[in-house]
Amino acid sequence: MTEGRAHFPVEPWSLTEVGVDMASLAVNESVFALANGHIGMRGTFDEGEPIVVPGTYLNGFFEERPMPYAEAGYGFPEMGQTVVNVTDGKLIRLLVGDSPLDLQYGDVVAHRRTLDLRAGVLRRVTDWRSPAGREVRVTSTRLVSLVRRSIAAIEFQVECTDDHGDLYIALQSDLLANDDVITTSSDDPRSAAALDRPLVGELHEGRGRHAVLGHRTQHSRLRMAAGMDHDVDVPDTATEDLLVSPDLARYTLAARLSNGSPVRLRKYLAYGWSSRRSAAAVRDQVEGALATAKLAGWDRLVAEQRELLDRHWDEADVEIEGDDELQQAVRVGMFHVLQAGLRAERQPIPAKGLTGDGYDGHTFWDTETYVLPVLTYTAPGAVRDALLWRHSILDMARERARVLGHDGAAFAWRTIRGEETSGYWPAGTAAFHINADIADAVARYWWATLDSDFDRDHGTELLVETARLWASLGHVNGEGEFRIDGVTGPDEYTAVVDNNVYTNLMAQRNLREAVAAVARQPETAGRLQVDPEEVDLWTRAADSMRVPFNEKLGVHEQSEGFTHHEEWDFEGTAPDQYPLLLNFPYFDIYRKQVIKQADLVMALHLRGDAFTLPEKIADFAYYEARTVRDSSLSAAQQAVVAAETGHLQLAHDYWGEAALTDLQNLHGNSGHGLHIASLAGGWTVAVAGFGGMRDHDGRLTFAPRLPPRLRRLAFRVVFQGRCLAVSVTQQQATYRLVYGDEPLQIAHHGEPFTVTAEPVTRDVPPPPDVEPVRQPPHASPRRRHRPTSD
C-alpha cells in the first residue's frame, strides 16, 4: 500500500487533522497514537472504520515464530519475536437509526481531530449525515494515562443536530481480540511479520457495564487481560445490554435522542500482562486497576494528565522563534518520545515506540543512542527504567557472548525480550557497537543524575560486562595498537569491517567508564571478580585504540581501508532506486564508498572529544558527499555536526528532515509506526546542534549558534538535581538556573563559568569559515515546506 503525506495546520501546541484524508489514513493512525510506555493505541477512529492497522500494543508482549534460513549457520537465532496486536478497547461503534457511522459512507459534513500536547489527549469532532438524511455530531476524547500505567479512557458523546424529530441510536462499546485485518504483503524488511489469530482465549467475564477478556499467546506463553467499564449519561429512554464471548465483549446502549439532548458515554480501560502469573491473577490485576480508575472518574484522569505534562514541559520545552513548522514538529516529537518511555518500567523502548508494528516491535541501539539522551535531560526516571530492563536481560547477553566465543555480554541487535532475533549477521550480530551504546547511556545517566544506588546495583555491572566483551573481541597488533576487527558500525552499507572508527571510539569510552566505575564501586567490582590485571588491560586497550586516518586525504577512515574502496556511481543511480537496500545487492553496496547513515559523522558528535575542529570540518565534508540517508537515523546526526562545523543552513534543513520525518512521511513508511529515534532528533538538533551542548566526561559545555532564519532558541535541561535554562539569539546566549541548591559549572565556547539563578550572558562568536559541502545527487536534505513566517 502506498502511504500518503498528511498535511497539518501549523499550531504551536497541537496537531490537527481537518477533514478525512483516506490516502494518509495509515500515517495518521501513527501520528495520532497515544501511549505511555506500557499501553500503546494507534490513532484509529472510534468506530473502527475506515482502518489500516487497529494497533493496540502492550510493551514486551509478543509472539514467537520460527526463523527460516535457506542455509543455517552456527549461532544463528532460531526464533523470531513479533509484537502482538492485542485486545482492542478503542472501539465504540455508532448506529444512527439503522446506519452505522462510517466515514467512507454517508456525508462527512465536518471533521476535526486534534492531538493536544499540553493535555495529552486526542480530541475528535465529526458532523455526519447518514444515507437516510439524519445528522449527528460525535465528540470524543481519548486518553492513555501517563499517571496510571494500566489505564486508558474515552469520553464519547453523540447529539442529534437535525430537526427531523427524535432519533434512535445505538452505541456498541467493544473489547475485541484477534481482529481480522487485511494486510498487504511487503518486501520491505522494515515491515512486520503477519500473525494469524495470535491470542488464545482463557477467560471471559461480564456483569452490568463491566467486562474482562483474558488471553495467552500460543508459543511465547504470555498472558494478558483487558477490561472495560462505563459511566453513561442518557435521556430518559434508553436500554442496555452486555454480551461476552472469548474474543468479544460488547456493551450496547440504545437511546432515543431529541435535538440538543446528547448521550455521553465514558469508557474506562485497563490492561495487564505477565509471563509468570495465572490467568486469574492477571484478571485480578486488571480488575483492581479498572476499579480505581472508575472511582477517580474521567475528570480526575484528565486533570492529572494535564498536571504531569505541565511539570514536564516546564523542564523540557524547546522554544523556536522563526520557524513555526519546526516548533510544532519538535514538540510533537518530544511528546511521542515521552509517551514511548515514561511508564515502560523495566521494559524496552521499541524503535516504533508503541505506535505500530514496524520492525516487529523490536528494540535496537536507537533506544540508547537517540531516545535516552533526550530523556536523560528531560525525564531521567524513564532512563533509569530503560537501563534496568537492559540489566534484567544481562544473563541473556552473557550467554550470547559465550555462544559467540567471547567474554562479557553481547547484547542482542534486535529483540523484544532479550534474545537475539536478527537473522542477518552483517546487519545484526556483527554490529557489536550496541554494547558500547548501552554503556554510553549508562555513563550519561550516571553523570547526569549521580544516582549512586543505580551505579552500585546495576550500572557498574553493565559497564564491566560490556568492557569485558571489548577486551575479548579486540586484540593488540604488532604495532601495539588495539584493533577490533570484523564488525559492522552504524552504517549498514559498510558491513563486517576492521576498526570501524565509531565502534572503536565508543568502545574506548566504554572501557574507560568501566575503569572509573569499579574505582567508585569497589564492593561491586569485588562481587564481579574484577581484579587489577583486568582493569589494567582495559586501560591499555583504551589508550592504544586503533583509529584509522588517511594522511593523503587528511580524513579519518570510517573503517580500515574505506577511503580506498571504489566510489559509488551516484550519477547513474536514479531517484526511484533509493533506498539502495531495496534495489541493489548488498554485495555491491558493501564494496563501495556509499553510506546509508551517519557513522563516522556520528562519532564526531558523540566522541567529539577525540577530534580537533579542523578534523571535524574535513571529515564532515568528505562523508557528506557519500551519505544517502536511506535511514531515518541519519539526518539528526548530520545536522548536529553540520552546525558545529559552520554549515548552519544545512543543519537547519537536516533538522527539518529529522523532526518532520513522520509528519510528512518522508521515508514512505510512517504507517508502520513512528520513527521514535528521528523524532528524538528534533530535540537533539535543537540542544546539541544549535545549542552546542556536549556532555563529555560528565561536564556540560555549550557552543550555541543559530541558523539565519531563527531569531531565538530556548531550552531547558535537568542535570544533577538542577534545571538549567538556555536562551540563544543570533548575538548572545543567556544561562540561568531555574532551580537547584548548588551552582553549576559549565562552559560557553570554551570559556568556563558558574551558573546560578542570576542570568549570565555571553556573546556568540561567528561560525568557522568553511567551504560549502555537497551531497550525492538525489540525496540533498528532504526539505520540508519552507516556513511561512519569519
Side-chain angles (χ1 to χ4, degrees), residues 66-84:
M67 300 221 11
Y69 298 97
E71 293 185 27
Y74 175 79
F76 283 21
E78 295 181 359
M79 298 296 290
Q81 299 169 356
T82 297
V83 65
V84 172

Side-chain angles (χ1 to χ4, degrees), residues 116-189:
D116 187 326
L117 306 178
R118 284 187 176 276
V121 298
L122 180 63
R123 297 191 179 94
R124 173 259 186 105
V125 179
T126 301
D127 292 333
W128 185 76
R129 184 185 302 115
S130 76
R134 300 309 305 265
E135 296 185 13
V136 294
R137 172 168 293 170
V138 174
T139 306
S140 72
T141 304
R142 183 183 300 172
L143 173 149
V144 173
S145 178
L146 296 168
V147 177
R148 302 168 188 256
R149 184 171 183 260
S150 302
I151 298 301
I154 303 168
E155 183 180 63
F156 191 93
Q157 178 176 293
V158 185
E159 56 185 311
C160 178
T161 56
D162 62 37
D163 57 1
H164 301 329
D166 290 347
L167 174 65
Y168 288 86
I169 68 163
L171 294 177
Q172 297 174 327
S173 176
D174 291 357
L175 291 175
L176 176 62
N178 290 317
D179 191 12
D180 293 325
V181 180
I182 299 174
T183 58
T184 303
S185 61
S186 173
D187 294 328
D188 189 338

Side-chain angles (χ1 to χ4, degrees), residues 189-203:
R190 299 168 294 187
S191 60
L195 296 177
D196 182 32
R197 301 186 64 81
L199 297 174
V200 178
E202 289 195 310
L203 60 86

Side-chain angles (χ1 to χ4, degrees), residues 626-669:
R626 293 158 178 81
T627 303
V628 296
R629 292 190 329 287
D630 280 349
S631 167
S632 64
L633 299 178
S634 195
Q637 297 296 342
Q638 287 174 267
V640 170
V641 180
E644 183 177 6
T645 56
H647 304 284
L648 295 174
Q649 183 55 55
L650 178 63
H652 192 177
D653 291 345
Y654 279 142
W655 191 14
E657 180 175 324
L660 287 153
T661 284
D662 292 310
L663 296 188
Q664 294 189 2
N665 194 21
L666 296 180
H667 288 262
N669 64 344

